[in-house]
Amino acid sequence: MNNKDLAKNVLELVGGEQNISGLTHCATRLRFVLKDNGKANLKELNQLEGVLKAQNSGGQVQIIIGAKVDAVYNEVKNLTSDRLENSEESAASSRSKQKRNPFNAVLETIAGIFTPILPALVGCGMIKCFATVMAALGWLEGSGFMVIINMIGDLIFYFLPFFLAVSAAHKFKTNPYLAVALAAGLMHPTILNAAAKIAETGVSTVDFLGMPILLMKYSSSVIPIILAVWIMSYLYPLVNRVIPKFLQVLLTPMIVLFIMVPLELIVFGPVGSHIGDWLTNGINSLFSTAGVLAGAILGFFKPIMVMFGMHYAIMPIQIQQVATLGATVLIPTALAANLAQAGAAFGVFVLTKNKTMKSAAGSSGITALFGITEPAIYGVTLKYKRPFFAACLAGGIVGGFYSLVHTTANAIALPGLLALGTYTADRYIYVIIGCIAAVVLAFVFTLIAGIKEDIDGSPSQKTSGTVNTDQSNTVESAVPSETSILSDSSSDMLIVSPMTGEIRPISEVEDQAFAQELMGKGIAIVPTEGKVYAPFDGVVEALYRTKHAIGLKANNGVEILIHIGVDTVSLKGKYFNAHIKQGETIQAGDLLVEFDPDGIRSAGYNTITSIVVTNMQQYGDVLTTASSGPIRESEALIKLIP
C-alpha cells in the first residue's frame, strides 16, 4: 500500500476529516486529537498494511507508522482542507465540550506543542554534535566555518520562545502572529539587554503603572511563552466578542497585546522561569543524591513511556536543562533504553524461525540503534514480551551506570549512535562502554529468556505447537461428526473451518497485523469458494461496513475474527455481500458473507483469509490442525486448550 492509499484509509478510519480537531506527528507516529474518539476504528487501523500499532493514549489516537510517518502525514494533510488548521472556533468548542482526564490532557498538550518543533530541535542537535566532534579533533578551530556551525547548533535555544509560540498557537487554536508578538515581548532588547546589565547597573526591575517588571533573560525559556499563549487563546475570542465587528481588525490585536505583553512580563515570565528552574534543579538534585537509582528507573521505564506516548512529558525538562545548564542528565537514560531495544531485536533475529519476523527484527534493530525504537517495540520485542522486558532490564542497568559516571548530553537529538558526539561523562570511554553494554546485555538476556513460537515460526502466547496431522492424531478424529461445529473433547474445544480452501500459516499473510499475530493467534486459508459460514452458534459482534471482516462470539465465549483478503478494506464493499447484520444471532452453518474471489483478485488484491482467536489470552494454547493442505467448510481447523 502506498503512502497516499494508507493516508486515505487512516483518514476514513479515524472518523473522517470532520472528526479531527488536531493532527501532529513525531518521529514514528501520527497523533490525532479527535472530537469523538469512539468513531476511530482501532481494530481496522491495526489491520492496515503500514500501521505498526494504533492506540488511544494520552487523549490522542496514536497511529504508529515508523520511519515513513512524515510522508504519510503530508498525504493526510493533502487530503484535508484548511479547516483542519484554521477551525479556531470549532476546536475551542470541542475543547470545552470534552471532559478528559487532566493528566492525559497535559500529556496531549505537551506532545502537541513539542512534536512540531522536533525537526528544528533534532536538526540543531545534530549540528551541535558535529561541532562537538570537530572541536574534540581540533579541526578548523577558531575558523569562521566553526563559528557559523556553532551558531546553527545554538539557533533553537537562542530563539526558543519564537518556535514554541508558533507551535503553541496551533495547539491552542489562536492567532500565531500575535503569539510570535508575545515571544518578541520576552525577547526584546529592552528586556534582554537590561537583564544582562543588572550586575553593572543594579537595576533589576522596570516600573509599569506601579507594578514591577522583573528583568530576566527569556531566550531559552519554555514555560513562560506557553502559559502566555494559552491565556491569550481565551482572551482573544473574549475581546473579539466585546468589540464591534467593524472595529475588530483595529482594536482586538491592540487590546490583546496591551493586556498580554505586560501580563507575561509581570506574571507568566517570572513564574514560568521559576517553575522551569525548580524542575531543572529538582531533577539534578535527584540525580546527584540518588543518581544510580534514578537512572536505572528511567532507563527501565523509557520503552513503557514510549508505548503510552508519555516520553514527551519530560521533554520540556530536557530542553530547559540544556538551555539553562548546557546539558541534561535525562537523555543518556533514553540512549541506554533505545540501544537495549536494538539488542533485544537482534536477539529475536537469532532465535526466530519465521522469515518475516527475522527480517522485521533485523531492520527494526538497526533503526533502534539510531534512536527510533517504535518498530522494534511494537513489531518485535513487545510481541514476544520476554525480549521487551529483557531490553527494559538492560536499559535499567546501563541507565544506572550512566548516572554513576555522570553522563550528560549537551544537545537535544535522537538518542542513538549518530548523536554520540553530544554525550560526555567522567571519561568519554564510559559512554562507549554503556552503548556496547546496552546492546550486548539485552541481546544476551533475550537469548536466555528465549521466545515462544509455533513450529512455523509464529509467536505464541503460551505453549507452542501444532496438532499432528497424522490420521491417528488429527483434531478431526476428536470430532464426533462433521456436523459438530464447536465441541469438547477431553476439555479441549474445536473450531471448524468457516470456508473451503487451502490452509496457510498465518505468517504468510501479507499484513503484519495478522502475520505477527497482533490481532490474535490463528490460521489463514486461501479460499476456493466465495462463501463464509458460521463456525459455531453465537452472535455477530462486528460486521465492518466494507463487509470484508466479521467478528464473531460463540455462546461459550470464544471470539474470532474472519478477515477476507489483504487490504480489501480499500474495495469499500465491492465484491462482498453480507447475509447477516451486526448483533444478529447465528447458528452453526449459517451463510454469513458471499464474495467474488476472482473479482477481488482482478482488482489486484490477495484473497488469503485470516481466521484468528482474538481473546486467546483466555486459553492455555491455540493450536491449528495443519500448516498447509486442503480443507473444507465445517472440518476441524483450530483447537483451544483451556
Side-chain angles (χ1 to χ4, degrees):
M1 185 182 297
N2 60 39
N3 294 335
K4 187 173 183 179
D5 288 340
L6 178 57
K8 286 181 179 177
N9 287 324
V10 166
L11 191 60
E12 178 184 354
L13 293 173
V14 297
E17 179 183 348
Q18 299 302 318
N19 192 38
I20 303 172
S21 62
L23 170 63
T24 58
H25 76 93
C26 56
T28 58
R29 66 187 74 186
L30 298 173
R31 295 169 174 271
F32 287 92
V33 180
L34 303 180
K35 297 174 183 176
D36 182 358
N37 285 343
K39 292 183 179 179
N41 192 331
L42 295 182
K43 284 188 177 180
E44 287 218 28
L45 282 166
N46 273 306
Q47 294 174 32
L48 287 177
E49 178 189 350
V51 173
L52 293 171
K53 180 75 174 176
Q55 62 187 16
N56 194 331
S57 179
Q60 300 174 328
V61 170
Q62 301 177 2
I63 302 174
I64 300 151
I65 303 293
K68 64 176 185 178
V69 65
D70 188 57
V72 177
Y73 170 81
N74 289 333
E75 292 292 350
V76 173
K77 297 292 285 185
N78 289 338
L79 293 170
T80 56
S81 66
D82 292 338
R83 184 201 59 77
L84 190 58
E85 293 187 14
N86 299 325
S87 55
E88 186 174 319
E89 294 182 5
S90 62
S93 175
S94 173
R95 187 168 62 230
S96 64
K97 290 178 182 178
Q98 290 180 349
K99 291 183 178 179
R100 291 177 293 165
N101 181 295
F103 180 71
N104 286 344
V106 171
L107 286 182
E108 180 235 306
T109 300
I110 292 174
I113 292 173
F114 283 93
T115 50
I117 69 170
L118 274 179
L121 279 169
V122 173
C124 290
M126 295 308 297
I127 292 292
K128 193 76 172 177
C129 174
F130 175 73
T132 302
V133 172
M134 293 283 285
L137 295 175
W139 293 351
L140 301 176
E141 188 174 353
S143 68
F145 175 81
M146 289 305 297
V147 170
I148 298 301
I149 290 298
N150 279 304
M151 180 197 76
I152 297 172
D154 290 334
L155 286 177
I156 186 73
F157 294 108
Y158 274 101
F159 302 102
L160 187 57
F162 289 106
F163 291 91
L164 291 175
V166 175
S167 183
H170 284 293
K171 178 60 188 173
F172 298 130
K173 306 299 179 185
T174 191
N175 190 296
Y177 303 102
L178 286 178
V180 170
L182 295 186
L186 295 173
M187 297 290 293
H188 197 276
T190 299
I191 301 297
L192 294 184
N193 292 344
K197 296 180 180 179
I198 289 178
E200 178 184 335
T201 63
V203 178
S204 60
T205 62
V206 173
D207 180 80
F208 181 79
L209 300 177
M211 295 176 287
I213 293 177
L214 294 178
L215 298 176
M216 303 180 70
K217 182 181 178 182
Y218 295 109
S219 59
S220 299
S221 62
V222 173
I223 298 177
I225 187 62
I226 294 176
L227 287 176
V229 175
W230 177 53
I231 295 299
M232 190 184 75
S233 70
Y234 291 96
L235 178 65
Y236 188 91
L238 180 63
V239 173
N240 241 358
R241 284 197 294 268
V242 175
I243 302 298
K245 285 189 177 182
F246 72 95
L247 291 175
Q248 285 178 352
V249 174
L250 294 174
L251 297 184
T252 298
M254 181 191 75
I255 294 172
V256 168
L257 289 176
F258 185 81
I259 295 173
M260 286 303 308
V261 173
L263 191 61
E264 70 174 354
L265 292 173
I266 296 170
V267 180
F268 303 134
V271 170
S273 293
H274 287 310
I275 292 174
D277 291 341
W278 177 78
L279 289 173
T280 299
N281 294 330
I283 292 294
N284 282 343
S285 297
L286 176 63
F287 272 76
S288 63
T289 56
V292 175
L293 179 61
I297 290 174
L298 278 175
F300 183 93
F301 283 101
K302 173 63 163 46
I304 298 173
M305 295 172 70
V306 169
M307 286 172 55
F308 293 99
M310 295 173 60
H311 54 306
Y312 285 100
I314 61 175
M315 181 170 284
I317 303 175
Q318 295 173 348
I319 294 173
Q320 190 75 44
Q321 285 188 320
V322 173
T324 58
L325 304 176
T328 175
V329 295
L330 297 176
I331 292 182
T333 61
L335 175 66
N338 288 357
L339 296 183
Q341 287 294 328
F346 293 143
V348 173
F349 175 85
V350 171
L351 293 173
T352 185
K353 299 183 180 72
N354 185 307
K355 291 182 180 180
T356 301
M357 180 57 69
K358 191 177 285 288
S359 174
S363 61
S364 64
I366 293 172
T367 303
L369 288 176
F370 297 101
I372 299 176
T373 57
E374 277 90 340
I377 291 174
Y378 290 106
V380 182
T381 62
L382 188 61
K383 184 171 184 55
Y384 290 98
K385 293 184 175 61
R386 291 181 181 182
F388 177 78
F389 289 106
C392 288
L393 179 59
I397 293 172
V398 176
F401 168 74
Y402 274 154
S403 296
L404 181 66
V405 297
H406 306 104
T407 307
T408 60
N410 63 8
I412 304 296
L414 287 178
L417 297 183
L418 290 180
L420 287 183
T422 64
Y423 295 87
T424 59
D426 291 340
R427 295 177 61 188
Y428 188 75
I429 189 64
Y430 293 151
V431 177
I432 306 301
I433 291 173
C435 291
I436 297 172
V439 176
V440 172
L441 285 176
F443 180 80
V444 172
F445 290 164
T446 298
L447 295 184
I448 294 172
I451 60 175
K452 290 186 176 182
E453 59 184 11
D454 290 337
I455 292 174
D456 67 1
S458 301
S460 172
Q461 293 290 324
K462 300 283 185 180
T463 308
S464 61
T466 57
V467 177
N468 192 331
T469 57
D470 185 272
Q471 269 198 336
S472 61
N473 292 307
T474 59
V475 173
E476 295 171 67
S477 66
V479 185
S481 70
E482 284 193 0
T483 59
S484 296
I485 306 301
L486 184 65
S487 60
D488 285 320
S489 178
S490 303
S491 77
D492 296 343
M493 292 177 287
L494 300 169
I495 300 176
V496 301
S497 175
M499 61 170 51
T500 297
E502 291 284 331
I503 295 176
R504 294 287 186 270
I506 196 73
S507 58
E508 290 189 8
V509 178
E510 296 175 357
D511 184 329
Q512 294 305 303
F514 289 103
Q516 298 181 15
E517 297 186 347
L518 295 175
M519 298 301 300
K521 190 173 181 182
I523 196 73
I525 295 177
V526 178
T528 54
E529 295 180 5
K531 295 181 179 181
V532 179
Y533 297 91
F536 45 61
D537 296 345
V539 65
V540 180
E541 282 212 316
L543 175 64
Y544 295 88
R545 58 184 176 277
T546 49
K547 305 169 189 175
H548 74 292
I550 318 154
L552 304 176
K553 183 174 183 179
N555 291 337
N556 68 350
V558 177
E559 298 176 6
I560 69 168
L561 174 67
I562 303 171
H563 191 282
I564 306 166
V566 177
D567 292 334
T568 47
V569 64
S570 300
L571 293 172
K572 298 182 178 179
K574 188 178 181 181
Y575 305 117
F576 293 89
N577 181 32
H579 293 273
I580 39 85
K581 297 179 180 178
Q582 186 166 322
E584 184 175 327
T585 300
I586 56 173
Q587 300 294 319
D590 286 351
L591 179 60
L592 304 179
V593 170
E594 285 186 282
F595 59 96
D596 180 3
D598 293 334
I600 294 172
R601 284 190 286 267
S602 67
Y605 295 88
N606 193 330
T607 59
I608 190 168
T609 298
S610 303
I611 303 155
V612 297
V613 178
T614 54
N615 61 339
M616 61 184 182
Q617 67 277 4
Q618 297 181 17
Y619 302 96
D621 205 354
V622 178
L623 308 178
T624 56
T625 61
S627 59
S628 62
I631 191 168
R632 292 191 61 80
E633 175 265 326
S634 83
E635 292 181 347
L637 180 67
I638 295 172
K639 181 179 181 180
L640 302 175
I641 300 177

